[in-house]
Amino acid sequence: MSTLIPTIKSDNKKLNDPKFNVLPSLPSWFDDILGKGLGTEFMSNFNTGMTLPAVNVIDGDHEFAIEVAVPGLKKSDFDINIDNRVLSIGVESKTESNEKTENYTRREFGYSTFKRTFTIPESVNTEAISADYNDGILKIHLPKREEAKKKPAKKIKIS
């Protein structure tokens, strides 16, 4: 969670003197208490509904691959686009459940979203990009152009 720190712009020397600033500002005090008391798991979900998922970027001989850890979603939850060499991966997920018995009614709903963007290098063949989703891992395959593929090592003989 990023913290915005308010600043006071003034030429008054008392405002800049450390002996007059012994108390923390209310926003920083609040962030300190919440951050230490509740842990980062709660704070990361507090504002966004979903944390940014872990991402692996793999530079292979024939392709780049982006692996995104996003368990519990359906293929239809993903929105993957490429526009002007920028790859964007977005997710929008809505859940709702209703439970009724003779003594109570319970209704739960949730909404989560995130969006990650990556600049695609010129060496990628954008027409051949593909994706698959298995066991909670979204994998996007970014094949390299033929001229960008890693060539095998060649031994040069001395004549």
Side-chain angles (χ1 to χ4, degrees):
M1 180 173 135
S2 60
T3 303
L4 297 176
I5 301 171
T7 56
I8 301 170
K9 295 193 179 215
S10 175
D11 290 334
N12 186 344
K13 291 191 182 214
K14 284 186 179 181
L15 291 176
N16 296 324
D17 191 339
K19 66 183 174 190
F20 289 103
N21 290 328
V22 293
L23 294 175
S25 67
L26 185 59
S28 69
W29 178 76
F30 187 69
D31 286 341
D32 285 346
I33 293 215
L34 282 179
K36 291 176 187 167
L38 300 174
T40 57
E41 294 81 19
F42 176 76
M43 294 307 293
S44 60
N45 287 324
F46 187 68
N47 291 328
T48 62
M50 179 181 274
T51 59
L52 285 179
V55 174
N56 294 328
V57 178
I58 302 160
D59 184 359
D61 292 341
H62 301 288
E63 73 173 8
F64 293 100
I66 298 174
E67 296 176 331
V68 186
V70 281
L73 297 175
K74 302 179 298 254
K75 291 179 183 181
S76 60
D77 292 334
F78 295 99
D79 184 27
I80 304 170
N81 295 299
I82 187 160
D83 183 25
N84 200 22
R85 305 212 70 80
V86 175
L87 175 74
S88 65
I89 304 165
V91 167
E92 185 173 331
S93 175
K94 298 175 185 175
T95 59
E96 187 172 333
S97 67
N98 289 317
E99 185 179 329
K100 292 183 181 183
T101 66
E102 62 183 72
N103 294 333
Y104 68 92
T105 300
R106 183 177 85 176
R107 179 173 178 234
E108 293 186 9
F109 59 92
Y111 177 81
S112 56
T113 181
F114 78 83
K115 187 169 190 175
R116 298 284 309 254
T117 59
F118 303 88
T119 301
I120 303 301
E122 293 286 331
S123 61
V124 170
N125 178 0
T126 57
E127 298 301 317
I129 294 174
S130 63
D132 54 69
Y133 181 64
N134 293 309
D135 297 327
I137 304 293
L138 173 67
K139 188 168 186 177
I140 302 173
H141 304 274
L142 304 142
K144 294 180 180 179
R145 296 181 189 276
E146 204 55 45
E147 61 273 11
K149 290 182 180 177
K150 198 174 199 177
K151 309 290 189 261
K154 179 181 173 185
K155 183 154 180 98
I156 300 173
K157 293 184 180 184
I158 302 172
S159 54

